[in-house]
Amino acid sequence: ESEWLLLRDRFVREDQNEWKKAPGNVNLEHFASSCPVDMFAQGPLYDIVGNVWQHTANPMYPYSGYRVQPYYDDFSLPTFDGRHMSMKGGAWISTGNEASRDARFAFRRHFYQFIGIRYIEPMSDDEVDREPFKAVNVGLDPEVEATTHFAFAKSVCGVPNVNTQMAEIALSAFRTHASADVASSAQRALDLYCGAGRITFELTSTFNEVVGSDFTSRKLMPAFAMKERGDTSYVARTLPVDGAPTERTMVEAKSYPWAATYERATFFQADPSNMHAHMTNFDLIVAFNVLENTHSPHLVPAHLLSRLNVGGILVVGSSFVWGEVCNVDVAHSPLYAPDADHLQVLRDLLVADGAAEEVSTDVSSVVAAFPDSLSTGSVRNIKVVAFKKLK
């Protein structure tokens, strides 16, 4: 990337907002397709700018001072993984800022739409070492760091990891109450609001396929790293936003009981009240900390039940402490009434028409600590109930 910038500054000079006519096949100023590579000379070379994008030799990395853009939080950050290569130069169809000097985009090597390579004879045999780039995203996003800490730390604020407890409760309910044919096959499970994927991975020891889903792909980055590389890392901070990183923690799949099965997991971004069509036919669905982080919690239970196989189990764990995103208008549902019996309303939403039955002999209760940082967090009591789909 630095070599491309040198070539551009030396032989192209003017930026997109300065030129009167594009110096190459870019900005849709010359052609509506690629063209022969010797049509646009730029100094002694051709197509430094335009025609097709150019893969560079280095993986994508953040500039100093990088911060996550909250309104487009999963654009750049997921590419800082050592696998997405920086691409420069723009293509014939690149307009606006895409045609500018400082446009930075990244794709994996198998991406070939509007992109090519430039052969350069190096002055040495040194190759770009990709290993350091695998961890350049560590410490950039405190919310994701906290999510990863919550998933894999043995305890948070002195409270044992609740994810393993939720996985154990869900698996126990499935083995005890699922229909015999469903329990014997154990084909598919779904873990909603999965974050870094701890519950998802725990379930792979039992199910042939486990889907983890979250509202934003940014929070799925640690889960993808674990699935693809067998490890992930994070930095725990002393403060939630701008505290200095205190330590980098490496988490490896080989350290867990699911070391031989973690590749059964797969991850998708989805809204739990309106999931993708392919997210269906599950034998077990775990909805932990989902209702309190959904825009319309009252719509979620029935939607989840529609994605469950008959004889399958739905496990819901919630504090019923509504988050900022929740549209908790009492006019929408009695679930939001200040004095509501939340569990009873949840039962009514699921069992009233005979579609399901509650199979919890009693309401389980677990304590969860949701971290704000390495040493602070919110401790909540989570009520856990299970339902079996009947029709």
Side-chain angles (χ1 to χ4, degrees), residues 24 37 106 277:
V37 297

Side-chain angles (χ1 to χ4, degrees), residues 109-120:
R109 285 296 198 194
H110 62 255
F111 182 81
Y112 58 87
Q113 184 181 24
F114 309 136
I115 197 165
I117 58 174
R118 178 182 298 276
Y119 285 104
I120 295 179

Side-chain angles (χ1 to χ4, degrees), residues 61 84 115 156 187 205 236 247 262 298-299 310 314 376:
Y61 63 94
H84 288 72
I115 197 165
V156 177
Q187 291 298 315
S205 299
E247 61 180 46
Y262 70 91
H298 67 286
L299 299 179
V310 172
L314 168 62
T376 64

Side-chain angles (χ1 to χ4, degrees), residues 61-203:
Y61 63 94
Y63 284 161
S64 176
Y66 171 85
R67 293 290 183 272
V68 174
Q69 164 54 253
Y71 298 112
Y72 203 166
D73 61 10
D74 57 0
F75 181 77
S76 295
L77 191 65
T79 68
F80 302 150
D81 61 357
R83 295 173 179 238
H84 288 72
M85 312 305 288
S86 174
M87 49 187 274
K88 300 293 291 185
W92 56 270
I93 199 171
S94 300
T95 60
N97 76 306
E98 289 187 3
S100 68
R101 173 191 184 275
D102 296 317
R104 301 183 81 221
F105 296 90
F107 284 95
R108 297 194 185 192
R109 285 296 198 194
H110 62 255
F111 182 81
Y112 58 87
Q113 184 181 24
F114 309 136
I115 197 165
I117 58 174
R118 178 182 298 276
Y119 285 104
I120 295 179
E121 183 176 356
M123 299 182 66
S124 69
D125 294 330
D126 294 338
E127 295 185 1
V128 174
D129 181 7
R130 296 191 189 184
E131 285 302 313
F133 291 91
K134 290 183 179 180
V136 295
N137 61 355
V138 174
L140 292 179
D141 191 340
E143 188 176 355
V144 172
E145 309 296 333
T147 297
T148 313
H149 181 60
F150 173 70
F152 295 108
K154 291 184 179 180
S155 63
V156 177
C157 301
V159 178
N161 191 306
V162 70
N163 295 282
T164 56
Q165 298 177 66
M166 280 299 305
E168 290 168 1
I169 292 171
L171 288 173
S172 176
F174 177 77
R175 293 172 183 138
T176 305
H177 300 291
S179 298
D181 56 334
V182 172
S184 62
S185 61
Q187 291 298 315
R188 301 187 80 203
L190 171 64
D191 172 26
L192 287 164
Y193 202 56
C194 70
R198 179 61 182 276
I199 294 176
T200 309
F201 291 122
E202 294 285 342
L203 298 180

Side-chain angles (χ1 to χ4, degrees), residues 192-193 215 272 286-294 297 300 304 317-318:
L192 287 164
Y193 202 56
F215 296 96
V286 181
F288 167 49
N289 199 32
V290 173
L291 299 181
E292 52 267 62
N293 289 287
T294 309
V300 173
L304 298 186
S318 178

Side-chain angles (χ1 to χ4, degrees), residues 351-369:
V351 308
D353 63 352
E357 65 175 352
E358 185 179 357
V359 293
S360 315
T361 54
D362 55 4
V363 177
S364 298
S365 182
V366 295
V367 177

